[in-house]
Amino acid sequence: MMNNSNDYRYRLDSPRVTGRRQQKTTCPQCGRRHCFVRYVDTQNNCAYVSDTCGRCDHEQSCGYHLRPSEFFHDHPWLKPDHDARDARPPVAQKEPQKKPLVPLPMAYVERSMACGSTFRNWFTDTCLHIFRLSEADVAKVVDDYRLGGTRRGDVIYWQIDLEGRVRSGHIMRYRDDGHRRDYQSWVHARLIRQKRLPPDFELRQCFFGEHLLRQRPEAQVGLVEGEKTALLMAALRPDVVWLAASGCKGLTPDKLAALRGRRVAVFPDSGCYADWQRRLRQAEGVSFTITDALEQFPPNTDLADLLLADPTATIAGDG
């Protein structure tokens, strides 16, 4: 029999909890199928809380995990009424001690920059022929962001922090038309499999492009979700330092700490405005403006989608 105490009301779907076969679905962040486990409400016939409330199996390469408490914080009208009556005072928990940061060698970055990628070819052609930029302008963006590649032609988006330390590299596969394929991974995950890193290596992400903040201390900052969008905006608006959060749940307090003292214009993808607005309240010492201009478009629309559809478009709020 299931425990119906409020402490265990919302549980990850499993036969032990529900008494039925587990149903895994598509992850809302990485897009891979049959890897997303949703939370169920054990006091409501084990109904699913939401199609987005759950955890991705790919903890290292994706890491998406939206807990019921976070989901109901953003959607309070969906929370059962009696939750408020049954709520108990939170139990104070000791802050887990972080492991020392272990950066990857910069040599990995430098070697990867000599490799091409399908994405880099598309990015170069798009900037030259669609946006009419010069080869020098495109080469500067590629070099500034340390754009890497693998032997298979996948792109590596290196995450290098304010101190110039390499946190890891986000590996993604693209088609010739600049659209993503299903595959993605991380450099540190490959190094763990090759036994070049210990199995307990802990990834501590930073913004993609974060290393540029120290090089340009007076410049305005533009913050978007995806690396592809950050690169296109860097090519089109070089007066701004463009950063990517690397995912809709990538706006974390640890990352936001790097933006203290900066002026930041934030452009969440459509459907993420409310969540990003809430997360930005955790940013201390950051002067930010956030736009909801993309909310009028279908879910997951970003600046890159608009600019590629209309290269002459002016994005509201980008000044």
Side-chain angles (χ1 to χ4, degrees):
M1 179 176 293
M2 290 182 293
N3 188 334
N4 284 330
S5 73
N6 199 55
D7 289 341
Y8 298 96
R9 174 166 186 169
Y10 302 108
R11 308 288 298 277
L12 286 168
D13 180 21
S14 73
R16 181 174 59 84
V17 172
T18 66
R20 66 183 182 230
R21 184 178 178 182
Q22 185 184 58
Q23 296 290 331
K24 292 188 178 183
T25 61
T26 300
C27 175
Q29 174 161 290
C30 69
R32 282 178 279 195
R33 296 180 294 176
H34 311 305
C35 69
F36 187 64
V37 182
R38 292 169 288 177
Y39 277 96
V40 299
D41 184 348
T42 62
Q43 293 185 17
N44 185 24
N45 297 319
C46 288
Y48 295 112
V49 174
S50 165
D51 287 341
T52 61
C53 184
R55 184 178 67 188
C56 180
D57 288 342
H58 302 283
E59 295 183 9
Q60 290 186 329
S61 61
C62 177
Y64 181 95
H65 189 182
L66 180 62
R67 296 171 175 81
S69 58
E70 296 175 304
F71 175 79
F72 288 128
H73 186 282
D74 293 338
H75 306 83
W77 58 91
L78 296 178
K79 187 174 183 180
D81 293 339
H82 56 265
D83 267 12
R85 298 195 300 268
D86 292 342
R88 302 178 181 179
V91 177
Q93 296 183 348
K94 187 177 180 180
E95 184 75 16
Q97 188 172 7
K98 288 184 179 180
K99 296 180 181 178
L101 176 65
V102 180
L104 304 186
M106 183 60 73
Y108 290 161
V109 178
E110 295 168 350
R111 281 203 300 267
S112 76
M113 291 179 66
C115 297
S117 68
T118 302
F119 172 81
R120 181 171 171 176
N121 293 339
W122 171 85
F123 175 73
T124 300
D125 289 343
T126 298
C127 289
L128 293 178
H129 304 301
I130 303 263
F131 297 113
R132 304 296 182 183
L133 302 178
S134 69
E135 292 185 2
D137 290 337
V138 179
K140 185 177 189 309
V141 173
V142 169
D143 184 63
D144 283 349
Y145 284 84
R146 304 291 190 265
L147 198 62
T150 70
R151 293 178 180 177
R152 292 194 58 174
D154 301 329
V155 68
I156 304 179
Y157 297 123
W158 291 102
Q159 291 189 1
I160 306 172
D161 65 20
L162 278 172
E163 306 299 324
R165 299 171 298 187
V166 182
R167 301 292 186 92
S168 189
H170 194 187
I171 304 172
M172 302 184 75
R173 185 167 297 166
Y174 287 83
R175 299 197 298 264
D176 291 336
D177 61 2
H179 288 93
R180 280 177 48 186
R181 294 185 181 273
D182 288 340
Y183 177 81
Q184 65 172 320
S185 184
W186 289 85
V187 170
H188 72 275
R190 291 189 174 187
L191 295 175
I192 290 172
R193 290 195 297 270
Q194 296 167 2
K195 302 188 184 304
R196 298 185 185 183
L197 282 176
D200 62 346
F201 174 87
E202 185 177 277
L203 171 62
R204 288 164 59 182
Q205 292 193 50
C206 65
F207 288 120
F208 172 66
E210 183 176 308
H211 61 286
L212 299 174
L213 292 173
R214 180 155 290 183
Q215 298 176 23
R216 301 171 61 187
E218 303 300 324
Q220 183 179 348
V221 179
L223 179 58
V224 296
E225 178 184 323
E227 297 96 339
K228 170 183 171 181
T229 304
L231 289 167
L232 282 173
M233 294 305 299
L236 295 170
R237 286 290 307 271
D239 55 311
V240 177
V241 176
W242 292 93
L243 309 179
S246 303
C248 60
K249 298 298 177 183
L251 211 59
T252 63
D254 283 347
K255 288 183 181 179
L256 290 169
L259 299 176
R260 286 176 184 152
R262 303 302 293 250
R263 296 176 297 114
V264 186
V266 185
F267 302 88
D269 290 3
S270 58
C272 296
Y273 174 77
D275 181 54
W276 275 34
Q277 189 177 48
R278 174 176 62 84
R279 292 172 183 269
L280 283 165
R281 296 193 188 105
Q282 307 171 56
E284 298 180 0
V286 181
S287 174
F288 66 85
T289 57
I290 181 170
T291 178
D292 62 355
L294 295 173
E295 290 299 292
Q296 61 184 299
F297 299 101
N300 301 316
T301 300
D302 60 16
L303 289 182
D305 296 324
L306 300 187
L307 292 169
L308 291 169
D310 180 6
T312 64
T314 299
I315 306 302
D318 67 351

